[in-house]
Amino acid sequence: MHDDGVSIELEAAGGLTARVDRDGVRLGYAGHDDWFGPGGLRVTGADVALDDARQISGVDDLGAWRAATWLSDRSASPRIDASLAAYDDRPVLVFSLRAPVGVDADLATGVFGEPSVCWPVLDPSARRAGGVPDDAVSFGYQYMEFALPTSTDPGCADFLRWPVRPSVMMPLLMVSGRGALLLAPLDHEHEQVIAVPADGAAAADGIRCGWHGDLTSVPKGFSTELAVVAGSDARDCLDRWAGLLVERAGTDRLPRGIDTLGSHVSYWTDNGAAYWYRTEGGRSVTDTLVDTVEDLRDRDVPVGAVQLDSWFYPHRVVRPFDTDEWDVPPTGLVRWEARDDLLPEGVRELRRALGDPPLVVHCRHLSSNSPYVDEYDCWVDGEYAHPVGSDLYETYLDQARSWGVETFEHDWLVECFLGVRQLREQPGRATRWQQGLDRALAQRGMTAQWCMATPADMMATARLAQVTSIRTSGDHGYLVPPELLWAWFLYTNALVRPFGLWPYKDVFRSDGHGGSTDPDAEAALAALSAGPVGIGDPLGAADRDLVLRCARADGLLVAPDAPIAATARSFLRHGVLHPEPVVGASHTLHPAGRWSYVITMNCHADSEHLATTVGLDDLGADRPAGSDGTPAVDAVVWDWRRGTVERCGPEGFDVELAAKGWDLRVVAPLLADGRLAVIGDADRYATAGRQRVATVEDHGDRVRVRLAGADESVRLVGWTPNGAGVVVSVAGEGTPSRLPVRVAPDGRWEVLVELPSEPGSLTVDLRVE
């Protein structure tokens, strides 16, 4: 603020504003001038007056900006400078903190979720009348494993959260029908937190954005940036913010399917699988797994990689096999090698007995009683430890490569970070750990799956090229019911999707047991995630037909181009906390246009019936479109579960759901001047996935479809208006061969296409009679 008391106003692109006056900083957008209430600067518990601001301008990697800065007094202890910048060409404000001479000690508050230096501290209870849209709600991702998505009113004081984890939401959004704002770090994601009141009684604590309470000191010049990002809705904000992190990192993300885990169906022994700490009827572990995998192959249930979970190596507390216990001890690993009592001949021999499939192998946090603590430089904190450098992980990976491991599954990331205080005491330690592991993976040609990641771990992947997949919801069949996990998965997918990550839904049993009460729903979510699909059935029980809804006969996953994720409308009323369906969407892009996949789910435990209408506008970037990318006004909707088809306009389609019910629609663009639509392979969830429907081209007088695979039948379906006939012929040299087509009164047509025995593709031409 100027000496004369005149306020400072900064304006970013899109009408995002920050006004600084005697009461603090107020954030404005979309015609409302106080979205989060007044914000201030607080240093080690003392509020700092926002006087004597300097106004400056400049250009950085994000573009041109104008800013207000507040320089600390030379006599202050600690000395903390603050600034607030508005970007000319982006709807972004940035709150920056800097320690010009460093802070040697006494910075920590002793509580991770109680930041020592805050900028801003926001007070929603002091928000001006009309400062935020009437329909606004707050939405956050809790700082815990799998980033629990949760929501409350605009006061941000009554989040439903996991009580054993910090009361920190990151990112934190305020969403409404008029637009949305997002608060999240732009850098140093492991050093920053956005703390919210623990409950309604603590509402006066406000929203505290800043350096977490376990940082004891910071070096000279240490600085952080926290962004305020404006957008049309929650998804727009998440995409813009993640895009900034990815742009800054400049990381070349590995393509989808670079590892077998991401390209083919896999077999898992994780929590929720039949053989997690269990064996089959008197068999050894080796015989159990070998017999099960051989049975899958004998019955043409295709599996690629095989996952070995935490049962294979010793922990501080060793969990017994073949008991009725349902406990997941969080104790750390003692040695990352096969348990002598389970795999006396080791992992390499187990892989050989399995037929040498690629392995996905589990690893977790380190126990302080591990012999590795004496062999490697480690921090020790109670029962936990963590290596200071990368050498222990390099030892793990060298061993893994000798076993035939392709993907290193790092589980319990949350315990690594929150379990060892020394990892949090100095800036950059968590970053060096994860980037060192990423480099070691790259040097060995291996990939990683992140599991039990916090929001900070998810943000960090912007700089981690080898992390190809990530778990985005709690363990299947453990602690919480499946419908809550459906919502968790869809909401957290919206967080990781713009980082280029492929979500993993977790293992499920295709036989409908072990918590998989609706295996069709689990399989649909897994397939539409475009990430790994892992089954965990017992010997002889896998449902081949269900598994093949996710993949071709050779096991290659048939997937969309982007992960299925909650649409923006679902952020306005959280589908677990309110009787409102959760709508998720994804898409496949072909030369002829964009195909949409829309899943609608009843995730509200107390609702026996829900009904809604899903409009084409609700689908956002997943909306069907023509060959030029123009959003479709009319489209054809395939009800995947009922096998029916209808034409719809922009108003979309109606959905009714029973308790724990779900609905899957494929929304296809109109082709051939509105006379034809192609749905794709009706026996796959992602009917137009490019692993099956390699291309669709619209040539006006005909539509050309190229089908991929070998030695299997494809039930190709589509639509014509008024039951018009369709001529389907196999393209190639000579006279095209016509295929018999069935046409239903509702316009649905169907043709069975036999793919040749040799791997490759077959092209068919479609013409309306």
Side-chain angles (χ1 to χ4, degrees), residues 71-80 101:
L71 301 180
S72 55
D73 189 279
R74 291 181 176 272
S75 63
S77 180
R79 283 189 60 190
I80 303 294
V101 296

Side-chain angles (χ1 to χ4, degrees), residues 451-746:
C451 189
M452 293 181 70
T454 69
D457 298 321
M458 296 175 182
M459 298 174 203
T461 63
R463 302 183 300 275
L464 305 176
Q466 303 305 116
V467 178
T468 53
S469 61
I470 187 166
R471 279 277 306 279
T472 52
S473 58
D475 281 7
H476 180 70
Y478 181 71
L479 294 180
V480 295
E483 67 272 17
L484 189 152
L485 295 175
W486 298 345
W488 193 336
F489 184 66
L490 290 170
Y491 282 122
T492 306
N493 286 0
L495 172 60
V496 304
R497 173 169 155 168
F499 286 101
L501 296 172
W502 302 104
Y504 175 42
K505 174 61 177 70
D506 196 14
V507 63
F508 68 94
R509 285 179 55 171
S510 65
D511 66 353
H513 296 286
S516 302
T517 55
D518 191 343
D520 213 1
E522 304 299 333
L525 286 170
L528 294 173
S529 76
V533 175
I535 60 171
D537 295 288
L539 177 63
D543 183 336
R544 180 177 185 271
D545 290 341
L546 187 139
V547 174
L548 288 182
R549 294 170 195 166
C550 306
R552 300 185 335 198
D554 59 5
L556 184 68
L557 295 171
V558 179
D561 291 350
I564 191 90
T567 58
R569 61 173 275 182
S570 296
F571 286 77
L572 291 168
R573 283 172 59 84
H574 193 297
V576 172
L577 306 178
H578 301 281
E580 182 72 25
V582 179
V583 180
S586 182
H587 70 269
T588 295
L589 190 63
H590 285 293
R594 185 164 55 234
W595 276 246
S596 306
Y597 311 103
V598 186
I599 197 163
T600 308
M601 312 192 86
N602 182 353
C603 302
H604 190 250
D606 297 329
S607 291
E608 295 295 322
H609 176 267
L610 291 177
T612 191
T613 299
V614 180
L616 298 186
D617 278 345
D618 291 334
L619 306 183
D622 297 308
R623 179 174 179 162
S627 58
D628 61 354
T630 302
V633 176
D634 297 309
V636 170
V637 181
W638 169 259
D639 187 324
W640 192 93
R641 303 193 74 187
R642 295 174 179 81
T644 59
V645 66
E646 63 178 328
R647 183 170 178 168
C648 79
E651 72 282 355
F653 52 90
D654 297 329
V655 176
E656 293 195 13
L657 303 171
K660 301 184 182 181
W662 62 281
D663 176 277
L664 175 59
R665 307 291 175 102
V666 181
V667 190
L670 288 165
L671 309 176
D673 298 322
R675 296 176 294 124
L676 181 72
V678 176
I679 302 300
D681 183 345
D683 295 319
R684 306 296 179 268
Y685 297 114
T687 60
R690 289 186 289 121
Q691 298 80 7
R692 167 66 82 213
V693 180
T695 59
V696 182
E697 299 173 353
D698 187 355
H699 295 278
D701 64 328
R702 72 187 192 284
V703 172
R704 172 158 285 190
V705 178
R706 185 162 60 90
L707 301 173
D711 200 22
E712 57 181 316
S713 301
V714 177
R715 188 163 62 97
L716 186 65
V717 299
W719 172 91
T720 56
N722 305 315
V726 179
V727 176
V728 181
S729 56
V730 177
E733 296 181 3
T735 304
S737 57
R738 281 183 67 162
L739 300 177
V741 182
R742 291 189 301 168
V743 180
D746 63 357

Side-chain angles (χ1 to χ4, degrees), residues 267-279:
Y267 185 79
W268 283 65
T269 62
D270 193 4
N271 185 6
Y275 299 129
W276 187 65
Y277 290 95
R278 287 189 178 276
T279 56

Side-chain angles (χ1 to χ4, degrees), residues 120-408:
V121 180
L122 298 160
D123 184 4
S125 68
R127 182 187 285 120
R128 290 172 178 162
V132 69
D134 291 340
D135 65 340
V137 298
S138 54
F139 192 102
Y141 291 93
Q142 189 181 356
Y143 203 108
M144 61 172 286
E145 50 270 56
F146 313 117
L148 177 70
T150 183
S151 182
T152 189
D153 59 53
C156 299
D158 284 301
F159 280 105
L160 178 67
R161 62 183 185 85
W162 211 257
V164 298
R165 295 303 188 196
S167 186
V168 171
M169 301 293 160
M170 200 166 79
L172 175 66
L173 299 99
M174 194 71 66
V175 299
S176 76
R178 293 179 58 86
L181 293 186
L182 172 147
L183 302 177
L186 277 183
D187 60 7
H188 292 287
E189 60 280 340
H190 280 104
E191 283 69 53
Q192 297 192 66
V193 293
I194 301 173
V196 298
D199 52 38
D205 292 346
I207 303 167
R208 289 142 290 146
C209 310
W211 299 350
H212 70 67
D214 287 336
L215 273 176
T216 58
S217 61
V218 299
K220 178 181 179 179
F222 175 70
S223 63
T224 59
E225 292 182 329
L226 180 98
V228 180
V229 179
S232 58
D233 52 49
R235 287 287 302 275
D236 187 31
C237 287
L238 287 167
D239 290 352
R240 289 176 183 272
W241 161 71
L244 295 175
L245 271 65
V246 171
E247 179 183 330
R248 276 189 161 180
T251 300
D252 291 327
R253 182 69 68 196
L254 294 173
R256 182 195 170 278
I258 192 69
D259 47 22
T260 310
L261 175 64
S263 63
H264 288 70
V265 178
S266 48
Y267 185 79
W268 283 65
T269 62
D270 193 4
N271 185 6
Y275 299 129
W276 187 65
Y277 290 95
R278 287 189 178 276
T279 56
E280 181 67 33
R283 289 173 171 84
S284 67
V285 169
T286 296
D287 288 345
T288 295
L289 297 181
V290 168
D291 290 350
T292 301
V293 171
E294 286 182 350
D295 171 75
L296 293 171
R297 293 175 182 142
D298 289 344
R299 295 193 295 118
D300 293 326
V301 181
V303 291
V306 175
Q307 186 261 3
L308 307 182
D309 205 65
S310 60
W311 53 262
F312 89 87
Y313 56 85
H315 314 154
R316 176 186 287 263
V317 177
V318 178
R319 190 187 191 280
F321 257 62
D322 296 319
T323 72
D324 292 329
E325 292 184 21
W326 194 249
D327 183 29
V328 186
T331 59
L333 72 81
V334 175
R335 299 188 319 277
W336 201 62
E337 55 191 52
R339 282 172 55 174
D340 294 335
D341 59 329
L342 301 178
L343 298 173
E345 296 182 327
V347 174
R348 190 182 312 174
E349 180 58 26
L350 171 63
R351 178 176 181 249
R352 187 202 63 76
L354 289 168
D356 290 324
L359 295 182
V360 178
V361 178
H362 181 284
C363 186
R364 62 164 60 187
H365 52 296
L366 184 63
S367 174
S368 60
N369 72 343
S370 167
Y372 301 146
V373 173
D374 297 324
E375 298 172 27
Y376 300 88
D377 188 14
C378 294
W379 294 299
V380 174
D381 187 358
E383 292 190 352
Y384 290 174
H386 193 86
V388 173
S390 299
D391 46 1
L392 178 55
Y393 278 101
E394 291 173 1
T395 299
Y396 289 164
L397 297 181
D398 286 339
Q399 184 165 261
R401 186 166 59 174
S402 74
W403 293 341
V405 173
E406 190 175 89
T407 300
F408 181 78

